[in-house]
Amino acid sequence: MLYGKPYGEADVQGPSDEQPERLAAHAPLGGHGGEQGEPAGRERALPPAPTPEQIVARALASVPSVPRLVGEAAVREIPREFGAGTRVETLWWRAASLRSGCPLVCVSSADGGVGRSVLTVGLGGLLALAVPDPVVAVDGTLRAWGGLEHRVARRTSSTVWDAVAADAGLTENAAAERLTQVGPTGLRVLVGESKLTAQRRPPTWPEMFGVIGHLRSVYRLALLDLPTADSTSTWRALGWSTVPVLVSRATVDGVQHTLRLLAHMRGAGLAHVPDRAVVVVMATTPSVAREVRAVEQLARQASAELVRVPYDPVLARADPLDPRALSKATRSALTEVAAAVIDRCPVEPAAVLSPGSSAPNGED
């Protein structure tokens, strides 16, 4: 089966998801994916890896619940680069009103090289400006190159592998803060592991889900930079997410591939993913062909919302990304993406009293 049941109902360990016997902090492992041979006669069955929801529920159960008051004092100031108006004001208000439980925003795509990592950092950086509490972005690409590491200035050598080794210690705020890098707008970033040695490696999927679950007990909002949606585990992560974000190139083929992915997920019983999905079309040239605009209309009908991010040379540079430094058109598009995400996150009831806000999509 290509997918698992949403919201943690299925075991996260698929046929290709190897779960190591123990963390490398205690026993060195070699190779990508952490596969480890066992001597004859010592093989033993492992229990299913807990889902991110199960892990964060256990962590939150040990923390006293404190009511979150929402008022004008809790809403952060809107940077002048993002202007004013009902749309941006409602975004900032709802961002300050997120319910406890840490919504999970998963960023994936049908194709590779479409700008998932740059969108994750740009979107996360904007949300870090709006959400009063820290926001975290995690490299979940499970590879030793690319990802988020080139989009944030490194203050320490810590990576996602150190988070795996920390295990339940990640539920302590000081430990989580020590392992993350900090972007220009305050976004916490857990970068991927770039080494492939006997001591360090990118994590396996069960380990990654464990890291996400622990971090969600610390941060108000989490973004996960996923690989392309061509594996069981990526589909499961999209199924668990509060808001799935699918990135596409601004080409006819790119948008059509996203359409096929949405159709496959509906056919596989995961209709809730395209029903909640925000499709982001990344332009790679200053102008977009008319044919692309036509196929975008089909993708808009097949998903919850579609936003095109215009070409911006700042996005093309492998440098730390500050959304305030983008062009006005790009900032506006990124604001629309952020608003589409926050509109689908559960918020406190007081958020509906903000100017111009309507019944929030993320509330039950």
Side-chain angles (χ1 to χ4, degrees):
M1 182 179 290
L2 183 59
Y3 62 94
K5 296 181 181 179
Y7 306 113
E9 296 176 7
D11 175 11
V12 302
Q13 190 171 352
S16 63
D17 301 328
E18 297 295 330
Q19 180 176 358
E21 292 282 329
R22 48 196 167 181
L23 297 179
H26 304 96
L29 302 175
H32 183 79
E35 298 176 359
Q36 176 179 354
E38 285 287 336
R42 292 186 58 188
E43 294 184 359
R44 55 192 178 91
L46 293 174
T51 68
E53 273 67 24
Q54 291 171 335
I55 295 172
V56 74
R58 295 171 190 169
L60 290 174
S62 63
V63 179
S65 177
V66 179
R68 179 176 173 80
L69 301 178
V70 178
E72 292 185 4
V75 181
R76 301 185 68 177
E77 181 179 358
I78 301 174
R80 60 179 177 80
E81 292 87 353
F82 293 92
T86 301
R87 186 60 162 163
V88 69
E89 290 173 3
T90 302
L91 164 61
W92 250 252
W93 182 277
R94 289 181 61 87
S97 311
L98 292 176
R99 288 181 186 172
S100 300
C102 189
L104 179 61
V105 180
C106 287
V107 182
S108 184
S109 63
D111 301 310
V114 298
R116 293 189 309 270
S117 297
V118 68
L119 178 67
T120 301
V121 173
L123 175 61
L126 194 160
L127 291 173
L129 291 170
V131 179
D133 300 308
V135 175
V136 66
V138 182
D139 191 325
T141 57
L142 309 187
R143 62 177 183 235
W145 50 83
L148 304 180
E149 65 173 333
H150 300 302
R151 296 295 178 174
V152 64
R154 299 289 292 270
R155 61 174 181 173
T156 71
S157 60
S158 299
T159 70
V160 68
W161 177 247
D162 298 289
V164 170
D167 197 20
L170 280 178
T171 57
E172 298 180 5
N173 183 72
E177 289 287 283
R178 189 169 58 251
L179 296 180
T180 56
Q181 318 301 322
V182 180
T185 62
L187 175 69
R188 274 59 169 180
V189 180
L190 187 57
V191 300
E193 176 55 59
S194 60
K195 295 181 179 179
L196 290 169
T197 67
Q199 289 75 36
R200 304 183 72 88
R201 58 169 174 79
T204 63
W205 271 110
E207 291 169 341
M208 177 56 67
F209 287 142
V211 167
I212 292 297
H214 291 315
L215 289 176
R216 291 178 71 189
S217 67
V218 176
Y219 294 100
R220 179 62 60 175
L221 180 68
L223 296 91
L224 181 59
D225 182 17
L226 291 171
T228 54
D230 55 5
S231 69
T232 302
S233 298
T234 305
W235 279 43
R236 288 172 177 170
L238 289 170
W240 284 321
S241 65
T242 310
V243 186
V245 176
L246 298 176
V247 187
S248 170
R249 290 190 197 92
T251 63
V252 172
D253 284 348
V255 181
Q256 285 180 339
H257 293 169
T258 302
L259 273 168
R260 293 192 184 105
L261 172 60
L262 294 170
H264 282 311
M265 299 191 90
R266 288 188 185 279
L270 292 176
H272 64 283
V273 175
D275 286 345
R276 295 199 308 261
V278 176
V279 175
V280 180
V281 180
M282 305 287 286
T284 56
T285 58
S287 61
V288 176
R290 182 177 302 176
E291 294 79 8
V292 175
R293 299 178 184 181
V295 76
E296 281 179 347
Q297 292 300 323
L298 298 176
R300 184 174 283 108
Q301 297 170 11
S303 59
E305 192 155 350
L306 182 143
V307 181
R308 187 199 303 151
V309 176
Y311 171 76
D312 193 317
V314 175
L315 296 179
R317 296 198 294 263
D319 296 323
L321 179 60
D322 186 340
R324 295 169 296 189
L326 299 171
S327 69
K328 181 178 179 180
T330 307
R331 292 197 305 269
S332 178
L334 199 59
T335 299
E336 288 297 322
V337 178
V341 167
I342 291 296
D343 283 349
R344 288 161 180 80
C345 293
V347 298
E348 300 293 345
V352 302
L353 302 177
S354 63
S357 64
S358 57
N361 297 333
E363 293 191 41
D364 297 323

Short mmCIF file of all heavy atoms in Angstrom, two decimals, residues 221-272:
data_model
loop_
_atom_site.label_atom_id
_atom_site.label_comp_id
_atom_site.label_asym_id
_atom_site.label_seq_id
_atom_site.Cartn_x
_atom_site.Cartn_y
_atom_site.Cartn_z
N LEU A 221 4.25 26.56 16.18
CA LEU A 221 3.97 26.17 14.81
C LEU A 221 5.21 25.50 14.23
O LEU A 221 6.33 25.95 14.49
CB LEU A 221 3.59 27.40 13.98
CG LEU A 221 3.25 27.22 12.50
CD1 LEU A 221 1.95 26.44 12.33
CD2 LEU A 221 3.15 28.58 11.80
N ALA A 222 5.03 24.44 13.45
CA ALA A 222 6.16 23.71 12.88
C ALA A 222 5.96 23.53 11.38
O ALA A 222 4.86 23.23 10.91
CB ALA A 222 6.32 22.35 13.55
N LEU A 223 7.06 23.73 10.62
CA LEU A 223 7.06 23.49 9.19
C LEU A 223 8.06 22.37 8.90
O LEU A 223 9.15 22.34 9.48
CB LEU A 223 7.47 24.74 8.40
CG LEU A 223 6.54 25.95 8.50
CD1 LEU A 223 6.98 26.87 9.65
CD2 LEU A 223 6.53 26.73 7.19
N LEU A 224 7.67 21.45 8.01
CA LEU A 224 8.52 20.31 7.68
C LEU A 224 8.81 20.31 6.18
O LEU A 224 7.90 20.25 5.36
CB LEU A 224 7.82 19.01 8.09
CG LEU A 224 8.57 17.70 7.84
CD1 LEU A 224 9.90 17.69 8.58
CD2 LEU A 224 7.72 16.51 8.28
N ASP A 225 10.09 20.42 5.85
CA ASP A 225 10.55 20.37 4.46
C ASP A 225 10.71 18.91 4.06
O ASP A 225 11.66 18.24 4.48
CB ASP A 225 11.88 21.13 4.33
CG ASP A 225 12.39 21.17 2.90
OD1 ASP A 225 11.60 20.92 1.98
OD2 ASP A 225 13.58 21.48 2.72
N LEU A 226 9.78 18.39 3.27
CA LEU A 226 9.72 16.98 2.92
C LEU A 226 10.37 16.70 1.56
O LEU A 226 10.53 17.63 0.75
CB LEU A 226 8.28 16.50 2.87
CG LEU A 226 7.50 16.42 4.19
CD1 LEU A 226 6.03 16.15 3.90
CD2 LEU A 226 8.08 15.34 5.08
N PRO A 227 10.68 15.43 1.28
CA PRO A 227 11.10 15.08 -0.08
C PRO A 227 9.90 15.12 -1.03
O PRO A 227 8.78 15.44 -0.64
CB PRO A 227 11.63 13.64 0.09
CG PRO A 227 11.71 13.39 1.55
CD PRO A 227 10.73 14.29 2.21
N THR A 228 10.14 14.76 -2.29
CA THR A 228 9.03 14.68 -3.24
C THR A 228 8.03 13.62 -2.79
O THR A 228 8.39 12.65 -2.11
CB THR A 228 9.55 14.32 -4.65
OG1 THR A 228 10.34 13.12 -4.56
CG2 THR A 228 10.41 15.44 -5.20
N ALA A 229 6.79 13.80 -3.19
CA ALA A 229 5.71 12.93 -2.71
C ALA A 229 5.62 11.66 -3.55
O ALA A 229 4.61 11.38 -4.21
CB ALA A 229 4.39 13.68 -2.75
N ASP A 230 6.69 10.88 -3.54
CA ASP A 230 6.71 9.64 -4.29
C ASP A 230 7.07 8.44 -3.40
O ASP A 230 7.58 7.44 -3.87
CB ASP A 230 7.69 9.72 -5.46
CG ASP A 230 9.10 10.12 -5.02
OD1 ASP A 230 9.34 10.22 -3.80
OD2 ASP A 230 9.97 10.32 -5.89
N SER A 231 6.80 8.58 -2.10
CA SER A 231 7.09 7.50 -1.17
C SER A 231 5.97 7.37 -0.15
O SER A 231 5.20 8.31 0.08
CB SER A 231 8.42 7.74 -0.43
OG SER A 231 8.29 8.82 0.48
N THR A 232 5.88 6.20 0.45
CA THR A 232 4.87 5.94 1.46
C THR A 232 4.95 6.94 2.60
O THR A 232 3.94 7.51 3.03
CB THR A 232 5.06 4.51 2.03
OG1 THR A 232 4.98 3.58 0.98
CG2 THR A 232 4.00 4.20 3.08
N SER A 233 6.15 7.19 3.09
CA SER A 233 6.31 8.03 4.27
C SER A 233 5.95 9.48 3.99
O SER A 233 5.39 10.16 4.85
CB SER A 233 7.76 7.93 4.79
OG SER A 233 8.04 6.60 5.18
N THR A 234 6.28 9.98 2.80
CA THR A 234 5.91 11.36 2.48
C THR A 234 4.40 11.51 2.41
O THR A 234 3.83 12.49 2.89
CB THR A 234 6.54 11.80 1.15
OG1 THR A 234 7.96 11.60 1.21
CG2 THR A 234 6.27 13.27 0.88
N TRP A 235 3.73 10.51 1.84
CA TRP A 235 2.26 10.54 1.80
C TRP A 235 1.69 10.55 3.21
O TRP A 235 0.72 11.24 3.51
CB TRP A 235 1.73 9.35 1.00
CG TRP A 235 1.77 9.55 -0.48
CD1 TRP A 235 2.79 10.10 -1.21
CD2 TRP A 235 0.75 9.21 -1.40
NE1 TRP A 235 2.47 10.11 -2.53
CE2 TRP A 235 1.23 9.56 -2.70
CE3 TRP A 235 -0.50 8.63 -1.29
CZ2 TRP A 235 0.47 9.35 -3.85
CZ3 TRP A 235 -1.25 8.41 -2.44
CH2 TRP A 235 -0.77 8.78 -3.69
N ARG A 236 2.27 9.75 4.08
CA ARG A 236 1.78 9.70 5.46
C ARG A 236 1.97 11.04 6.16
O ARG A 236 1.10 11.50 6.90
CB ARG A 236 2.49 8.58 6.22
CG ARG A 236 2.05 7.19 5.78
CD ARG A 236 2.90 6.11 6.41
NE ARG A 236 2.38 4.80 6.03
CZ ARG A 236 3.01 3.66 6.26
NH1 ARG A 236 4.19 3.68 6.87
NH2 ARG A 236 2.48 2.52 5.90
N ALA A 237 3.13 11.64 5.94
CA ALA A 237 3.37 12.94 6.56
C ALA A 237 2.37 13.98 6.05
O ALA A 237 1.85 14.78 6.83
CB ALA A 237 4.81 13.40 6.27
N LEU A 238 2.09 13.96 4.76
CA LEU A 238 1.09 14.88 4.22
C LEU A 238 -0.28 14.59 4.81
O LEU A 238 -1.08 15.50 5.05
CB LEU A 238 1.05 14.77 2.69
CG LEU A 238 2.27 15.33 1.94
CD1 LEU A 238 2.21 14.93 0.46
CD2 LEU A 238 2.34 16.84 2.08
N GLY A 239 -0.57 13.31 5.03
CA GLY A 239 -1.85 12.95 5.63
C GLY A 239 -1.98 13.41 7.06
O GLY A 239 -3.07 13.77 7.52
N TRP A 240 -0.87 13.43 7.80
CA TRP A 240 -0.88 13.86 9.20
C TRP A 240 -0.91 15.38 9.33
O TRP A 240 -1.29 15.92 10.36
CB TRP A 240 0.35 13.35 9.93
CG TRP A 240 0.29 11.90 10.27
CD1 TRP A 240 -0.80 11.21 10.71
CD2 TRP A 240 1.35 10.96 10.21
NE1 TRP A 240 -0.49 9.89 10.92
CE2 TRP A 240 0.83 9.71 10.63
CE3 TRP A 240 2.70 11.05 9.85
CZ2 TRP A 240 1.61 8.56 10.68
CZ3 TRP A 240 3.47 9.91 9.92
CH2 TRP A 240 2.93 8.69 10.33
N SER A 241 -0.46 16.09 8.29
CA SER A 241 -0.25 17.52 8.43
C SER A 241 -1.56 18.27 8.64
O SER A 241 -2.62 17.86 8.17
CB SER A 241 0.46 18.06 7.18
OG SER A 241 -0.36 17.92 6.04
N THR A 242 -1.45 19.38 9.34
CA THR A 242 -2.58 20.29 9.47
C THR A 242 -2.84 20.98 8.15
O THR A 242 -3.99 21.12 7.72
CB THR A 242 -2.30 21.34 10.56
OG1 THR A 242 -1.84 20.69 11.75
CG2 THR A 242 -3.55 22.15 10.88
N VAL A 243 -1.76 21.44 7.51
CA VAL A 243 -1.86 22.10 6.20
C VAL A 243 -0.80 21.51 5.27
O VAL A 243 0.39 21.77 5.47
CB VAL A 243 -1.67 23.62 6.31
CG1 VAL A 243 -1.93 24.27 4.95
CG2 VAL A 243 -2.58 24.22 7.37
N PRO A 244 -1.17 20.73 4.25
CA PRO A 244 -0.21 20.29 3.25
C PRO A 244 0.03 21.40 2.23
O PRO A 244 -0.92 22.03 1.75
CB PRO A 244 -0.88 19.07 2.60
CG PRO A 244 -2.31 19.12 3.01
CD PRO A 244 -2.50 20.15 4.07
N VAL A 245 1.28 21.65 1.93
CA VAL A 245 1.66 22.65 0.93
C VAL A 245 2.41 21.94 -0.19
O VAL A 245 3.43 21.28 0.07
CB VAL A 245 2.53 23.77 1.54
CG1 VAL A 245 2.99 24.75 0.46
CG2 VAL A 245 1.77 24.50 2.65
N LEU A 246 1.91 22.04 -1.42
CA LEU A 246 2.54 21.38 -2.56
C LEU A 246 3.11 22.45 -3.49
O LEU A 246 2.39 23.36 -3.92
CB LEU A 246 1.52 20.52 -3.31
CG LEU A 246 0.92 19.37 -2.50
CD1 LEU A 246 -0.15 18.65 -3.31
CD2 LEU A 246 2.01 18.39 -2.05
N VAL A 247 4.40 22.32 -3.79
CA VAL A 247 5.11 23.32 -4.57
C VAL A 247 5.27 22.81 -6.00
O VAL A 247 5.53 21.63 -6.23
CB VAL A 247 6.49 23.62 -3.96
CG1 VAL A 247 7.15 24.80 -4.68
CG2 VAL A 247 6.36 23.92 -2.47
N SER A 248 5.10 23.71 -6.96
CA SER A 248 5.22 23.37 -8.38
C SER A 248 6.00 24.44 -9.11
O SER A 248 5.97 25.61 -8.72
CB SER A 248 3.83 23.21 -9.00
OG SER A 248 3.91 23.09 -10.42
N ARG A 249 6.71 24.06 -10.16
CA ARG A 249 7.28 25.06 -11.07
C ARG A 249 6.16 25.69 -11.88
O ARG A 249 5.13 25.08 -12.14
CB ARG A 249 8.27 24.41 -12.04
CG ARG A 249 9.56 23.93 -11.44
CD ARG A 249 10.53 23.55 -12.56
NE ARG A 249 11.62 22.72 -12.07
CZ ARG A 249 11.60 21.40 -12.06
NH1 ARG A 249 10.54 20.76 -12.50
NH2 ARG A 249 12.62 20.71 -11.60
N ALA A 250 6.38 26.90 -12.34
CA ALA A 250 5.40 27.60 -13.18
C ALA A 250 5.57 27.18 -14.63
O ALA A 250 5.87 27.99 -15.52
CB ALA A 250 5.54 29.10 -13.02
N THR A 251 5.41 25.87 -14.87
CA THR A 251 5.43 25.32 -16.23
C THR A 251 4.20 24.44 -16.39
O THR A 251 3.61 23.98 -15.40
CB THR A 251 6.69 24.48 -16.48
OG1 THR A 251 6.68 23.35 -15.59
CG2 THR A 251 7.95 25.30 -16.24
N VAL A 252 3.82 24.19 -17.62
CA VAL A 252 2.65 23.34 -17.86
C VAL A 252 2.88 21.96 -17.28
O VAL A 252 2.02 21.40 -16.58
CB VAL A 252 2.35 23.26 -19.37
CG1 VAL A 252 1.25 22.24 -19.64
CG2 VAL A 252 1.93 24.62 -19.90
N ASP A 253 4.04 21.37 -17.55
CA ASP A 253 4.35 20.03 -17.03
C ASP A 253 4.35 20.03 -15.50
O ASP A 253 3.83 19.10 -14.87
CB ASP A 253 5.70 19.54 -17.55
CG ASP A 253 5.63 19.08 -18.99
OD1 ASP A 253 4.50 18.92 -19.50
OD2 ASP A 253 6.70 18.91 -19.61
N GLY A 254 4.97 21.06 -14.90
CA GLY A 254 5.06 21.09 -13.44
C GLY A 254 3.70 21.12 -12.78
O GLY A 254 3.44 20.36 -11.83
N VAL A 255 2.80 21.98 -13.26
CA VAL A 255 1.47 22.07 -12.66
C VAL A 255 0.66 20.81 -12.96
O VAL A 255 -0.10 20.33 -12.11
CB VAL A 255 0.74 23.33 -13.14
CG1 VAL A 255 -0.64 23.43 -12.50
CG2 VAL A 255 1.56 24.58 -12.80
N GLN A 256 0.83 20.25 -14.16
CA GLN A 256 0.12 19.01 -14.48
C GLN A 256 0.55 17.86 -13.58
O GLN A 256 -0.27 17.04 -13.18
CB GLN A 256 0.34 18.66 -15.95
CG GLN A 256 -0.46 19.51 -16.93
CD GLN A 256 -0.22 19.14 -18.37
OE1 GLN A 256 0.79 18.51 -18.71
NE2 GLN A 256 -1.14 19.50 -19.25
N HIS A 257 1.84 17.80 -13.26
CA HIS A 257 2.31 16.75 -12.36
C HIS A 257 1.69 16.91 -10.97
O HIS A 257 1.36 15.93 -10.31
CB HIS A 257 3.84 16.79 -12.27
CG HIS A 257 4.52 16.41 -13.54
ND1 HIS A 257 5.87 16.59 -13.76
CD2 HIS A 257 4.04 15.84 -14.68
CE1 HIS A 257 6.19 16.16 -14.96
NE2 HIS A 257 5.10 15.71 -15.53
N THR A 258 1.54 18.14 -10.53
CA THR A 258 0.87 18.38 -9.25
C THR A 258 -0.59 17.95 -9.31
O THR A 258 -1.13 17.37 -8.37
CB THR A 258 0.97 19.86 -8.86
OG1 THR A 258 2.35 20.24 -8.79
CG2 THR A 258 0.30 20.13 -7.52
N LEU A 259 -1.24 18.22 -10.44
CA LEU A 259 -2.62 17.78 -10.63
C LEU A 259 -2.73 16.25 -10.56
O LEU A 259 -3.66 15.72 -9.94
CB LEU A 259 -3.15 18.28 -11.98
CG LEU A 259 -3.76 19.68 -12.01
CD1 LEU A 259 -3.96 20.13 -13.44
CD2 LEU A 259 -5.07 19.69 -11.24
N ARG A 260 -1.78 15.57 -11.18
CA ARG A 260 -1.80 14.10 -11.14
C ARG A 260 -1.60 13.60 -9.71
O ARG A 260 -2.24 12.63 -9.28
CB ARG A 260 -0.73 13.53 -12.06
CG ARG A 260 -0.99 13.79 -13.54
CD ARG A 260 -0.07 12.96 -14.41
NE ARG A 260 -0.25 13.28 -15.82
CZ ARG A 260 0.58 14.01 -16.55
NH1 ARG A 260 1.67 14.51 -15.99
NH2 ARG A 260 0.34 14.25 -17.83
N LEU A 261 -0.70 14.26 -8.97
CA LEU A 261 -0.49 13.86 -7.59
C LEU A 261 -1.77 14.02 -6.77
O LEU A 261 -2.14 13.13 -6.00
CB LEU A 261 0.64 14.70 -6.98
CG LEU A 261 0.88 14.55 -5.47
CD1 LEU A 261 1.24 13.11 -5.13
CD2 LEU A 261 1.95 15.51 -4.99
N LEU A 262 -2.45 15.15 -6.93
CA LEU A 262 -3.70 15.37 -6.22
C LEU A 262 -4.74 14.31 -6.59
O LEU A 262 -5.46 13.79 -5.73
CB LEU A 262 -4.23 16.77 -6.52
CG LEU A 262 -3.40 17.94 -6.01
CD1 LEU A 262 -3.91 19.26 -6.59
CD2 LEU A 262 -3.41 17.99 -4.49
N ALA A 263 -4.81 13.97 -7.88
CA ALA A 263 -5.77 12.97 -8.32
C ALA A 263 -5.44 11.59 -7.75
O ALA A 263 -6.33 10.84 -7.33
CB ALA A 263 -5.80 12.92 -9.85
N HIS A 264 -4.15 11.24 -7.73
CA HIS A 264 -3.74 9.95 -7.17
C HIS A 264 -4.09 9.86 -5.68
O HIS A 264 -4.53 8.81 -5.20
CB HIS A 264 -2.24 9.74 -7.37
CG HIS A 264 -1.86 9.34 -8.75
ND1 HIS A 264 -2.48 8.31 -9.43
CD2 HIS A 264 -0.91 9.83 -9.60
CE1 HIS A 264 -1.94 8.17 -10.63
NE2 HIS A 264 -0.98 9.09 -10.75
N MET A 265 -3.90 10.94 -4.95
CA MET A 265 -4.19 10.93 -3.52
C MET A 265 -5.69 10.79 -3.27
O MET A 265 -6.11 10.09 -2.36
CB MET A 265 -3.63 12.18 -2.85
CG MET A 265 -2.12 12.31 -2.96
SD MET A 265 -1.39 13.59 -1.93
CE MET A 265 -1.06 12.66 -0.45
N ARG A 266 -6.49 11.44 -4.10
CA ARG A 266 -7.94 11.25 -3.98
C ARG A 266 -8.32 9.80 -4.27
O ARG A 266 -9.12 9.20 -3.54
CB ARG A 266 -8.67 12.18 -4.95
CG ARG A 266 -8.64 13.64 -4.55
CD ARG A 266 -9.55 14.47 -5.46
NE ARG A 266 -9.44 15.89 -5.17
CZ ARG A 266 -10.06 16.51 -4.18
NH1 ARG A 266 -10.87 15.82 -3.38
NH2 ARG A 266 -9.90 17.80 -3.98
N GLY A 267 -7.75 9.25 -5.33
CA GLY A 267 -8.06 7.87 -5.68
C GLY A 267 -7.60 6.86 -4.65
O GLY A 267 -8.16 5.77 -4.54
N ALA A 268 -6.57 7.23 -3.87
CA ALA A 268 -6.03 6.32 -2.86
C ALA A 268 -6.72 6.47 -1.50
O ALA A 268 -6.32 5.85 -0.54
CB ALA A 268 -4.53 6.56 -2.69
N GLY A 269 -7.74 7.31 -1.43
CA GLY A 269 -8.46 7.47 -0.18
C GLY A 269 -7.94 8.57 0.71
O GLY A 269 -8.30 8.64 1.89
N LEU A 270 -7.09 9.44 0.17
CA LEU A 270 -6.54 10.55 0.95
C LEU A 270 -7.10 11.88 0.45
O LEU A 270 -6.37 12.87 0.30
CB LEU A 270 -5.01 10.56 0.86
CG LEU A 270 -4.30 9.41 1.56
CD1 LEU A 270 -2.80 9.49 1.31
CD2 LEU A 270 -4.58 9.40 3.05
N ALA A 271 -8.41 11.92 0.21
CA ALA A 271 -9.03 13.13 -0.33
C ALA A 271 -8.88 14.32 0.60
O ALA A 271 -8.93 15.47 0.16
CB ALA A 271 -10.51 12.87 -0.62
N HIS A 272 -8.69 14.06 1.91
CA HIS A 272 -8.55 15.18 2.84
C HIS A 272 -7.27 15.97 2.58
O HIS A 272 -7.17 17.14 2.98
CB HIS A 272 -8.56 14.68 4.29
CG HIS A 272 -7.41 13.79 4.63
ND1 HIS A 272 -7.35 12.47 4.24
CD2 HIS A 272 -6.26 14.02 5.31
CE1 HIS A 272 -6.22 11.93 4.67
NE2 HIS A 272 -5.54 12.86 5.32
#
